[in-house]
Amino acid sequence: MPVVRSSEAVTHEIHGARFVSYATPLTGSRELCAWRGEIPPGTKAPAHTVNREEIFHLLVGELLMTLDGHTERISAGDTVIVSPGATLAVENPTAHTAISWVTTSVGLEARLADGTRITPPWAN
């Protein structure tokens, strides 16, 4: 039985946020990836377009999520479904770190507005 202990999870930091990956091909998952995101106060991640569906569930805090130009304030317990091809931006305007859980399929890539392609190591 594949078990990924919290002490074995791999941490990555990008755009001011921390991603702690648990389910990836490196840990035995063949189709799905899952990670915890930690978004510190004042973080404003750049808009990016994703090539895979993402399920973004907010565990703690509040965030401003902009999806294809429409901004919503989400709170702990809310889930945002991000479709492939959608453009997403995340901002934490609060004084507290927000914590999320994200699930997607293996092979996620994101493209920034300037065309830069990002292949997140926690999703591949």
Side-chain angles (χ1 to χ4, degrees):
M1 168 176 39
V3 175
V4 180
R5 307 283 179 202
S6 61
S7 62
E8 299 168 343
V10 178
T11 300
H12 303 276
E13 294 189 22
I14 186 170
H15 302 296
R18 174 179 289 178
F19 302 89
V20 184
S21 62
Y22 294 91
T24 71
L26 292 176
T27 60
S29 180
R30 293 182 184 184
E31 297 180 16
L32 299 175
C33 293
W35 63 87
R36 185 181 73 233
E38 300 170 3
I39 304 105
T43 298
K44 187 172 184 177
H48 54 285
T49 303
V50 296
N51 69 331
R52 300 274 196 267
E53 182 177 64
E54 283 186 330
I55 306 300
F56 185 102
H57 181 74
L58 192 59
L59 298 168
V60 175
E62 292 185 3
L63 293 171
L64 294 176
M65 300 277 293
T66 302
L67 189 60
D68 290 333
H70 179 76
T71 303
E72 291 273 346
R73 180 177 290 271
I74 65 168
S75 300
D78 293 344
T79 299
V80 177
I81 299 170
V82 182
S83 298
T87 300
L88 171 71
V90 179
E91 179 180 357
N92 182 351
T94 74
H96 305 283
T97 297
I99 300 174
S100 64
W101 184 260
V102 179
T103 303
T104 189
S105 55
V106 170
L108 175 75
E109 290 184 349
R111 187 180 299 260
L112 300 177
D114 68 1
T116 301
R117 197 177 272 186
I118 298 172
T119 304
W122 57 88
N124 287 285

